[in-house]
Amino acid sequence: MTFDVAGSATRAMHDRSAAWRFIEGFAAAWAEPIEARDGWNQADLDAAEHRLGVRLPDAMRDAYALFGKRPDLTSNQDWLLTPSELRRDGELVVFRRESHTGTSWGAALDSPDPAVVHEAERGWEPWLPHFSAACVELVLSEALFRDEAVTADREMSAVDISLLEDHFSLLPLRSPGARWFVSDDVIVREDAAQWLWARARTPEALETLAERLPGEWATD
């Protein structure tokens, strides 16, 4: 099954519904199709709201109801908190945690599809302007670390930036310190011009990546 990652991601940056269509399309092409049982029911989300004493943003409810029970999409490296694990931090709802440092992601409570912030040394800092866009980034990031997937990573070299820009399409998804590139059947994340993480749909696609970006790729 083919899936236009670049085009669908571009639409997802401007339209919450398009973000959910991206995640459904990506899951079908790169993992397994999303089914009705893969989301939390409304009673679970209502209970979380009652416990927290706030109304969850509409986009957060949408995401949890669509794919919140799919750890292969949400929790390979870091993890999406369950409704019972969501917590308040002032006017934020913390919904995701990083596996090694304990860093968290939180969503504001001020709009249906609010901004997402990331916990850093100086406190909460901007991550992405909409929760739905953060879900696209989450699913792409977790795809890089899925067990038994075709993945690779390596340190960047001086020529990698120009090669990336020559051979891949840049996604309009700019979380701090990272850029995303795609081509047919390959996704690459560049972290702070220091490290590359890649996911391919097939071993042949990974071989093509290694030809376009030669270097000492580590594979599982």
Side-chain angles (χ1 to χ4, degrees), residues 78 94 96-105 118-120 124:
D78 307 324
V94 177
R96 187 184 180 199
R97 286 185 62 81
E98 200 272 336
S99 60
H100 297 298
T101 66
T103 296
S104 299
W105 288 261
H118 179 249
E119 195 173 19
W124 293 107

Side-chain angles (χ1 to χ4, degrees):
M1 176 180 178
T2 60
F3 176 65
D4 179 10
V5 175
S8 295
T10 297
R11 292 187 289 274
M13 294 303 99
H14 307 288
D15 180 355
R16 187 168 94 210
S17 296
W20 311 144
R21 290 194 296 272
F22 173 93
I23 291 168
E24 288 176 314
F26 184 82
W30 290 72
E32 288 80 37
I34 292 173
E35 301 180 355
R37 65 185 180 183
D38 294 335
W40 293 94
N41 62 45
Q42 297 304 310
D44 294 316
L45 300 173
D46 291 344
E49 290 183 337
H50 179 75
R51 177 176 58 82
L52 296 170
V54 296
R55 167 74 182 181
L56 297 176
D58 290 348
M60 184 176 288
R61 290 185 67 103
D62 290 348
Y64 272 82
L66 178 64
F67 64 98
K69 290 185 176 181
R70 280 287 297 270
D72 63 308
L73 297 177
T74 66
S75 304
N76 296 312
Q77 171 75 3
D78 307 324
W79 67 90
L80 181 71
L81 302 183
T82 67
S84 65
E85 294 170 333
L86 294 172
R87 64 179 178 86
R88 285 277 302 274
D89 188 331
E91 294 305 307
L92 300 173
V93 172
V94 177
F95 66 93
R96 187 184 180 199
R97 286 185 62 81
E98 200 272 336
S99 60
H100 297 298
T101 66
T103 296
S104 299
W105 288 261
L109 293 167
D110 57 358
S111 71
D113 194 5
V116 168
V117 293
H118 179 249
E119 195 173 19
E121 292 181 0
R122 294 174 292 182
W124 293 107
E125 295 186 352
W127 183 251
L128 283 166
H130 297 291
F131 182 84
S132 57
C135 288
V136 171
E137 190 277 341
L138 181 158
V139 167
L140 288 174
S141 288
E142 296 306 315
L144 300 172
F145 302 100
R146 181 174 177 171
D147 289 343
E148 300 181 0
V150 183
T151 60
D153 66 280
R154 68 166 172 81
E155 188 174 7
M156 290 189 69
S157 67
V159 300
D160 282 331
I161 290 180
S162 61
L163 290 175
L164 278 168
E165 294 174 347
D166 287 345
H167 294 294
F168 297 83
S169 298
L170 176 65
L171 296 186
L173 183 65
R174 295 297 299 273
S175 55
R179 294 197 300 169
W180 289 90
F181 294 86
V182 299
S183 67
D184 293 340
D185 294 334
V186 175
I187 299 166
V188 181
R189 190 178 76 193
E190 171 217 321
D191 281 356
Q194 296 180 353
W195 207 265
L196 297 176
W197 304 90
R199 166 76 189 275
R201 287 190 65 201
T202 65
E204 294 75 19
L206 190 63
E207 291 176 4
T208 300
L209 168 69
E211 293 171 359
R212 293 176 175 176
L213 290 174
E216 296 183 8
W217 288 95
T219 59
D220 293 333

